[in-house]
Amino acid sequence: MQTIQWWKEAVAYQIYPRSFQDSDGDGIGDLPGIISRLDYLKKLGIGLIWICPIYQSPQDDNGYDISDYQAIQKEFGTLADFDRLLNEAHQRGIKVIIDLVINHTSDEHPWFIESRSSKTSAKRDWYIWREGKSGAEPNNWESIFSGSAWERDSATNDFYLHLFSKKQPDLNWENSRMREAIYKMICWWLDRGIDGFRIDAISHIKKQDGFPDLPNPEKKRYVPSFPMHMNVPGIQKYIEELCAETFRKYDVVTVGEANGVSSADALDWVGEKAKKFSMLFQFEHIGLWNRDSQQKINLTQLKDVFSRWQNAMENGGWNALYIENHDIVRAVSKWGDEGRYWRESATALGAMYFLMKGTPFIYQGQEIGMTNSSFHSLEDFQDVSAKNWIREQRELGKSDSELLRELCLTSRDNARTPMQWSADQNAGFSRGKPWLAVNRNYPQINVEEQWKNPDSILNFYRNMIQIRASNVGWIEGKFQLELREHPDIFAYSRKFSGWTGLVICNLSTNTVKVSEKFPAEQLVLSNYGMRDLHPAEFKPFEARIYQTTVS
Ligand code: GLC
C-alpha cells in the first residue's frame, strides 16, 4: 500500500505568536514562549504547527508587513531562538511551517525604499507604480483594508498600489528580478530545515492587465476591487514558476491562502497533477461570515460549500479544514452559543469540520472554546484594518456607537486576544501588560481548568484527534454528506474498504429527531455523554461520532 504523506495524517495548530505565550514580560508573545508550550501541543496530539509572521517588521499589520525576510522581529526573539524552536519541535515529532508573505512587503523594506527613491531606480519596477489621473488616483480600486488601493508618494508624485494597508506596497510579480530574489529567500528558509509554508494572500499576486476602472453606478469614492486581483487569469504562470523554483525541490508542505479560488478552479492550484501547493485555505465558507450577515448559521449553504470542496478534492487534491483563524471572529461566538450551550456548541462545531477529509487546523484557543472579546471603545481596537475602517466610516457620518457595535461582532481583534492558559494573572499569558487586553472570561475559560475536566472542550478535541489517528478511514475515507435536507443537522460519513465513520451534529438550539439508520454502530464520542443512537433524538448542539465496530 502507498504510504500516506505525513501532512495528511497530521493535525495542524495555528499559532499567532504575539498572543500565544510571552516569556519575557513585555506583553508580547515570543519564540521562547512557543517553545515552552510545545509539550502541551504534543500532548494534545498536534503534528504540525503554523506560526504567523515572525520576521522583522514595523508591525503595521502585526507582522504581515515585512521589512527583512531573513531576520526575526526583536520582540519575538532571534534566529537562534527560531532554530532552537525548530529543533525542539522536531524532537517531539512536530513539524513547523511559517507564513510566507510575498504579495507585498513593508514600505520599510530596503527594496521599497530603493524603489520609491526615484523613477529611474533599479528597483522601481519591483513594485507597482502609476501616474495619477488628473491629480487623483490611477483608478477607483478600493484597498481590502478600506480607502483607495493607491498611495501618492511625495518623492516622485507617482502612486503605488497597496491592496492591504498603505504600509504594505504590492510587489510587482511581472518583474523577474524581484521574483528571483523572492525564490532565493524562500530557499534560504527551506535550507534552514523548516517543513513548509502557509502562503499568504497568494491568489492576489496577479493584477488585472491595464488596471482598468471598475463600473461605479453608485458613484462611490472607491469600489471593492476583488475581481481585479483575486485568481486573475494568468496567475498560474507565476504559481507554477514559484513552485518549480522552490517548494518542488524539497519535501515540504505548502498551504496557499486562496481567497477567490472556487472549488472548480482548485485543482489548478493543488493536487497530484498540478504539483503546486499541497492544500488551500479556501474562503467560501468564511464568505458566509460576512460583516453584514446575520448571526445565524446558514446550514444549507454551509453544507453546500463544504461538500463541494470535499467532492472537488476527491480527484487527487487535499483539503485544509478550518473554522477559525486570526482574521475571523471566534466560531463559537458567531455560529454557536456563548451562553447556555457554550460547551455543546463549541464541540459540535468542532466535530462538524474536524473529521471531514483533509488536514484539520485548530487556531489557538479554539480548542478551549475561546469567545469574542468585549471592547468598550473604538480605541480598544488595534487592528490596522479596523482603524482604517473607523476613519472611513466616520467620514461617511456613522456614529461611534454604531461602529463599536459592528466591530464588536466583526473585528479581527476578537480572535487575537491572548491565549488563556490558566486563571493566573493575565491568563498565564504574560507577567507584563498584554499588548491586547485578555478576554475577561479567562478565569472560567482556560487550558488548565479544561485539561482536568474530562467533559471539557479541550478533551473533546483531544479525543477527536485520537479517533482520527485510530483508523485510516478517517484520513483516506471518501466523504459523503448525509441528511442533506435536514434543517438543523450537519452530518457526514466517511467510507473506506467496508469501514464507515459517521459524524452527526445538531447545529441548532432545537431538540431534533433523526430517523435514518447508518451502518456505523459504535458510538466513539459524544458531547452529551455516551448515549445510544436510539431513540435518535438530538439535544441542542449535540454531536456524536460513530464508526463501524473494529474487532
Ligand atoms: C492575509 C493574512 C492577514 C493579513 C493579510 C495581508 O489575509 O491572513 O492577516 O492582514 O493577508 O498580509
Side-chain angles (χ1 to χ4, degrees):
M1 210 170 94
Q2 245 195 331
T3 51
I4 304 175
Q5 282 132 312
W6 62 266
W7 43 267
K8 293 188 174 171
E9 289 182 318
V11 169
Y13 190 93
Q14 182 193 348
I15 294 178
Y16 196 66
R18 274 186 99 72
S19 301
F20 190 59
Q21 177 67 65
D22 176 21
S23 71
D24 58 6
D26 66 356
I28 298 176
D30 48 39
L31 297 175
I34 299 176
I35 296 172
S36 72
R37 295 297 183 180
L38 287 173
D39 285 333
Y40 163 73
L41 296 172
K42 176 76 192 162
K43 280 193 273 172
L44 184 56
I46 299 303
L48 165 67
I49 53 177
W50 150 29
I51 307 176
C52 287
I54 46 173
Y55 311 88
Q56 184 182 299
S57 154
Q59 300 290 319
D60 182 58
D61 185 21
N62 290 357
Y64 282 93
D65 49 316
I66 296 169
S67 56
D68 186 343
Y69 284 106
Q70 280 153 279
I72 303 286
Q73 175 70 4
K74 59 182 184 322
E75 290 96 307
F76 294 150
T78 60
L79 264 178
D81 289 327
F82 181 80
D83 289 340
R84 194 157 61 86
L85 164 59
L86 196 57
N87 186 29
E88 294 271 346
H90 285 167
Q91 275 179 25
R92 290 166 177 81
I94 298 175
K95 308 269 189 183
V96 180
I97 67 174
I98 60 175
D99 234 294
L100 180 64
V101 189
I102 51 179
N103 174 68
H104 44 269
T105 66
S106 161
D107 65 341
E108 296 180 36
H109 194 290
W111 296 346
F112 187 73
I113 294 174
E114 193 180 331
S115 180
R116 86 185 334 173
S117 65
S118 87
K119 288 194 185 193
T120 54
S121 128
K123 293 205 171 56
R124 185 62 166 182
D125 197 36
W126 285 36
Y127 293 83
I128 300 171
W129 292 96
R130 290 290 179 278
E131 283 179 0
K133 251 206 272 172
S134 339
E137 292 92 359
N139 68 22
N140 63 2
W141 294 6
E142 185 176 61
S143 147
I144 296 167
F145 287 173
S146 303
S148 172
W150 298 94
E151 180 73 10
R152 188 203 302 273
D153 193 48
S154 58
T156 59
N157 231 11
D158 277 359
F159 290 78
Y160 63 86
L161 182 77
H162 61 91
L163 296 182
F164 296 90
S165 102
K166 64 180 183 201
K167 285 186 68 62
Q168 293 169 299
D170 279 55
L171 286 161
N172 178 15
W173 274 76
E174 314 283 327
N175 184 298
S176 62
R177 289 241 163 80
M178 183 288 288
R179 299 200 304 272
E180 278 159 27
I182 289 283
Y183 304 153
K184 212 167 134 209
M185 173 277 288
I186 294 174
C187 292
W188 183 85
W189 277 104
L190 292 171
D191 290 335
R192 235 183 159 83
I194 61 165
D195 302 294
F197 290 103
R198 176 266 189 181
I199 306 154
D200 184 70
I202 194 66
S203 54
H204 298 282
I205 60 173
K206 164 96 179 104
K207 281 58 173 182
Q208 184 67 52
D209 293 336
F211 296 85
D213 259 324
L214 279 155
N216 188 6
E218 288 166 48
K219 303 247 175 304
K220 286 191 172 158
R221 211 158 143 209
Y222 309 113
V223 183
S225 55
F226 280 119
M228 312 316 264
H229 53 75
M230 274 193 339
N231 198 20
V232 169
I235 192 171
Q236 287 307 330
K237 188 174 83 184
Y238 298 118
I239 305 295
E240 167 56 33
E241 185 188 273
L242 163 68
C243 296
E245 295 297 323
T246 60
F247 317 128
R248 219 176 271 158
K249 299 179 180 168
Y250 299 77
D251 174 23
V252 291
V253 64
T254 49
V255 196
E257 191 199 24
N259 199 355
V261 177
S262 70
S263 55
D265 289 342
L267 290 179
D268 294 342
W269 291 79
V270 293
E272 286 139 27
K273 269 220 200 88
K275 292 201 171 20
K276 290 174 188 154
F277 300 144
S278 318
M279 40 188 160
L280 292 182
F281 285 127
Q282 58 90 4
F283 271 58
E284 287 192 72
H285 63 299
I286 297 307
L288 310 175
W289 247 270
N290 277 340
R291 177 162 265 148
D292 304 322
S293 69
Q294 10 104 302
Q295 199 75 359
K296 205 175 152 353
I297 202 163
N298 185 329
L299 204 50
T300 317
Q301 283 179 20
L302 193 70
K303 289 181 188 187
D304 231 51
V305 168
F306 276 130
S307 42
R308 206 160 356 100
W309 276 87
Q310 288 285 311
N311 294 335
M313 292 297 110
E314 207 41 59
N315 303 316
W318 192 253
N319 274 291
L321 308 167
Y322 73 102
I323 53 169
E324 286 197 13
N325 65 33
H326 63 294
D327 290 330
I328 48 183
V329 295
R330 291 288 182 180
V332 69
S333 303
K334 178 75 182 172
W335 281 356
D337 175 23
E338 282 183 359
R340 179 160 171 211
Y341 298 115
W342 162 71
R343 190 187 67 82
E344 291 77 6
S345 63
T347 44
L349 286 166
M352 185 262 301
Y353 88 102
F354 199 87
L355 292 165
M356 289 189 207
K357 188 167 182 175
T359 300
F361 283 71
I362 300 171
Y363 175 61
Q364 65 184 46
Q366 176 191 329
E367 77 277 26
I368 52 168
M370 276 178 65
T371 65
N372 282 352
S373 200
S374 35
F375 300 95
H376 302 289
S377 101
L378 293 181
E379 275 65 58
D380 292 344
F381 296 97
Q382 301 280 331
D383 175 17
V384 60
S385 74
K387 288 181 180 165
N388 288 352
W389 189 74
I390 293 169
R391 201 173 321 117
E392 182 195 79
Q393 296 296 311
R394 273 180 174 159
E395 277 174 24
L396 294 174
K398 273 217 180 144
S399 73
D400 281 7
S401 58
E402 266 175 287
L403 298 183
L404 183 62
R405 202 172 334 115
E406 283 202 40
L407 281 176
C408 283
L409 291 175
T410 59
S411 169
R412 305 197 293 181
D413 283 332
N414 278 302
R416 298 177 177 184
T417 59
M419 180 68 185
Q420 293 165 209
W421 294 106
S422 68
D424 295 344
Q425 190 198 10
N426 297 325
F429 162 69
S430 171
R431 48 179 200 277
K433 183 173 184 286
W435 71 276
L436 181 66
V438 177
N439 191 318
R440 279 182 308 177
N441 60 21
Y442 76 87
Q444 294 80 44
I445 301 179
N446 63 66
V447 170
E448 196 173 278
E449 204 281 318
Q450 291 196 27
W451 195 266
K452 293 183 291 207
N453 174 359
D455 294 330
S456 66
I457 300 166
L458 180 57
N459 278 308
F460 191 87
Y461 269 93
R462 272 178 86 196
N463 283 323
M464 282 202 297
I465 294 171
Q466 281 164 18
I467 289 167
R468 186 175 180 274
S470 72
N471 194 301
V472 67
W474 291 113
I475 316 282
E476 294 273 88
K478 192 169 181 332
F479 169 94
Q480 189 176 311
L481 185 69
E482 306 286 356
L483 307 175
R484 178 181 283 278
E485 309 303 329
H486 201 295
D488 297 311
I489 295 268
F490 192 115
Y492 55 95
S493 59
R494 303 287 309 277
K495 296 232 160 64
F496 188 77
S497 332
W499 173 94
T500 301
L502 176 70
V503 178
I504 307 181
C505 309
N506 177 7
L507 294 183
S508 77
T509 48
N510 307 325
T511 296
V512 297
K513 284 241 156 44
V514 170
S515 44
E516 286 78 355
K517 297 227 166 29
F518 297 96
E521 61 282 354
Q522 189 195 357
L523 180 63
V524 283
L525 188 63
S526 147
N527 58 358
Y528 270 85
M530 300 299 271
R531 308 188 310 132
D532 275 346
L533 182 59
H534 306 288
E537 186 183 84
F538 279 70
K539 298 238 161 25
F541 289 106
E542 180 162 357
R544 296 186 214 158
I545 300 168
Y546 294 90
Q547 63 182 5
T548 314
T549 311
V550 188
S551 49

